[in-house]
Amino acid sequence: MKIAFFDARSYDLPAFRAEGEKRAVDYRFFETRLAPETVSLAAGCDGVCVFVNDTVNAEVIDRLYDQGVKVIALRCAGYNNVDIEHAFGKIHVLHVPAYSPYAVAEHAIAMLLTSIRRIHKAYIRTRDFNFSLDGLTGFDLHGKTVGVVGTGKIGRIFIDICRGFGMSVIAYDKFPAENSGISYTTLDGIFEKSDIISLHCPLTEETQHMINAEAIEKMKTGVVIINTSRGGLIDAEALLGGIKRRKIGAACLDVYEEESDVFFRDFSGHIMSDDTLARLISMPNVIVTSHQAFLTKEALENIAETTTQNIISFFSEGVCDNELCYRCGQVDSCMKSRRKKCF
Ligand code: NAD
């Protein structure tokens, strides 16, 4: 099985090389992203392996199909960058539903603590032998209300950690988990009552710009917003407006709406052309990490193992539990629930 591996980074290689050798999957690593301009690199391959910022739109899918590619193996959970409906009937799409929800939930907490205890400022100060405490006053998490949007795998671990801090947790989910002991409210309830809001739901047409100017208006002054899910959940311009008006106390962003143009690359020494991102980063109460929440040793090993197993199951066993299609979960038409390929 020959698999063209796009957007390959140094941290991907050890685990994928080891899995590939162990299980006879021939990964061909390309640093470039999958896009209409690079799709021809997959010629002669049985599948492609892609990540969050590869472009897998209708054009790319048609060209992969014409080249004889049979499978798109996502090495991530989210699939908002894949035109799932267009792929149906042509190329099968596999993903890694969970690799380490702990990695992402713990990163969200790391960003929160860094932000509200001003660790990012203190770190730079003490390196310069500046031991003054002026401007470093934080606040206790204990007793604060955290609003969690999306109570799936990551959201629930985040909730457990927050409870350990003595925080009061409220949550919103389109599909609330029954008998979970989670106190659910409406989305407006989250906006109105939370001191801290953390997003853990997928990016869909419905959730696009869930945090916009109108939502921000409903929030408490000084609210802290954490986004480790997908950049498109937040209207970045509206967020910037809320920060400038001092309505938003802090923002912790591991994802950004236009991240595909900049994240995972080194632009130090260059002029940053994205004014909104540059402005956000310049704010003392904004912390940006470049889609790094997943990046732990455990997660990387699990990603390589599950992605490789998905490919082997698909080609050798003819079915893969982690296949995706736009009909998945629909009672009358879901083939996966009948242990079959999606089409
Ligand atoms: P999950 O599928 O287990 O949980 C998602 C939850 O969101 C579910 O409970 C679902 O019911 C809920 N949901 C769906 N539509 C909703 C809506 N319209 N409003 C509110 N809730 C809604 O997913 P997960 O593993 O917990 O991952 C959550 C998100 O984290 C993913 O969608 C992905 O975008 C993101 N993620 C980011 C990183 C990173 O490195 N930053 C890594 C992994 C996942």
Side-chain angles (χ1 to χ4, degrees):
M1 284 159 278
K2 292 181 201 145
I3 306 293
F5 189 109
F6 286 90
D7 206 7
R9 302 287 129 192
S10 58
Y11 48 77
D12 291 317
L13 303 187
F16 271 94
R17 277 200 179 122
E19 281 294 324
E21 276 168 27
K22 198 163 74 186
R23 313 181 75 179
V25 174
D26 179 4
Y27 286 114
R28 298 172 175 201
F29 298 100
F30 299 106
E31 273 185 34
T32 185
R33 287 189 180 148
L34 179 59
E37 303 75 40
T38 60
V39 68
S40 57
L41 289 168
C45 288
D46 305 294
V48 292
C49 182
V50 298
F51 198 48
V52 294
N53 288 322
D54 289 289
T55 303
V56 198
N57 58 16
E59 181 186 355
V60 169
I61 289 167
D62 286 344
R63 291 188 45 200
L64 288 172
Y65 182 63
D66 290 345
Q67 288 172 195
V69 168
K70 292 170 194 65
V71 78
I72 295 164
L74 285 150
R75 53 182 190 278
C76 54
Y79 49 90
N80 51 286
N81 55 329
V82 182
D83 189 336
I84 291 282
E85 203 157 338
H86 194 81
F88 189 80
K90 292 185 173 137
I91 304 186
H92 295 266
V93 181
L94 320 175
H95 77 145
V96 182
Y99 38 90
S100 175
Y102 304 100
V104 182
E106 288 170 15
H107 190 80
I109 292 289
M111 294 187 91
L112 173 62
L113 285 171
T114 302
S115 168
I116 66 158
R117 301 309 302 268
R118 323 294 292 150
I119 304 295
H120 55 308
K121 298 283 168 199
Y123 172 77
I124 291 166
R125 248 184 228 193
T126 54
R127 282 177 68 88
D128 209 19
F129 304 113
N130 173 357
F131 301 105
S132 118
L133 294 182
D134 292 337
L136 298 186
T137 308
F139 64 80
D140 290 5
L141 287 179
H142 187 271
K144 296 295 184 300
T145 298
V146 60
V148 178
V149 182
T151 54
K153 293 175 283 298
I154 297 169
R156 291 219 222 170
I157 293 165
F158 182 83
I159 287 173
D160 287 345
I161 301 173
C162 288
R163 285 182 175 149
F165 279 105
M167 300 169 86
S168 157
V169 180
I170 53 174
Y172 169 74
D173 196 299
K174 194 177 173 188
F175 310 100
E178 283 171 28
N179 305 320
S180 58
I182 296 170
S183 171
Y184 285 101
T185 180
T186 58
L187 199 49
D188 275 355
I190 296 282
F191 296 152
E192 286 156 17
K193 294 188 200 121
S194 305
D195 301 300
I196 294 147
I197 296 174
S198 195
L199 305 179
H200 299 288
C201 63
L203 175 62
T204 62
E205 274 177 25
E206 196 180 352
T207 61
Q208 171 95 19
H209 286 185
M210 165 184 272
I211 305 292
N212 53 22
E214 200 186 328
I216 291 168
E217 219 30 66
K218 293 175 187 160
M219 293 177 193
K220 284 185 176 180
T221 296
V223 63
V224 179
I225 297 177
I226 310 165
N227 189 7
T228 54
S229 277
R230 286 292 182 266
L233 296 176
I234 297 183
D235 176 343
E237 287 291 340
L239 181 75
L240 191 55
I243 291 165
K244 279 157 69 178
R245 284 186 287 109
R246 277 70 171 170
K247 176 82 175 172
I248 292 170
C252 306
L253 310 174
D254 184 53
V255 285
Y256 170 65
E257 226 180 337
E258 305 299 331
E259 69 176 49
S260 63
D261 294 337
V262 283
F263 278 17
F264 307 146
R265 299 180 199 177
D266 182 359
F267 284 96
S268 52
H270 294 258
I271 307 293
M272 175 53 59
S273 51
D274 184 326
D275 288 348
T276 309
L277 181 61
R279 195 76 210 274
L280 280 169
I281 287 174
S282 75
M283 295 288 174
N285 52 354
V286 175
I287 296 179
V288 174
T289 52
S290 53
H291 209 133
Q292 126 183 24
F294 75 99
L295 196 64
T296 66
K297 181 176 170 295
E298 292 81 359
L300 289 172
E301 287 169 1
N302 292 339
I303 288 169
E305 193 185 335
T306 307
T307 306
T308 309
Q309 181 56 47
N310 283 347
I311 292 166
I312 288 172
S313 299
F314 181 81
F315 283 108
S316 308
E317 296 155 26
V319 66
C320 174
D321 289 339
N322 295 328
E323 185 173 359
L324 285 170
C325 84
Y326 75 101
R327 299 192 312 192
C328 280
Q330 290 175 21
V331 182
D332 50 340
S333 55
C334 180
M335 302 299 282
K336 198 164 71 176
S337 58
R338 294 175 216 162
R339 301 278 308 128
K340 292 189 170 158
K341 282 186 182 175
C342 286
F343 58 88

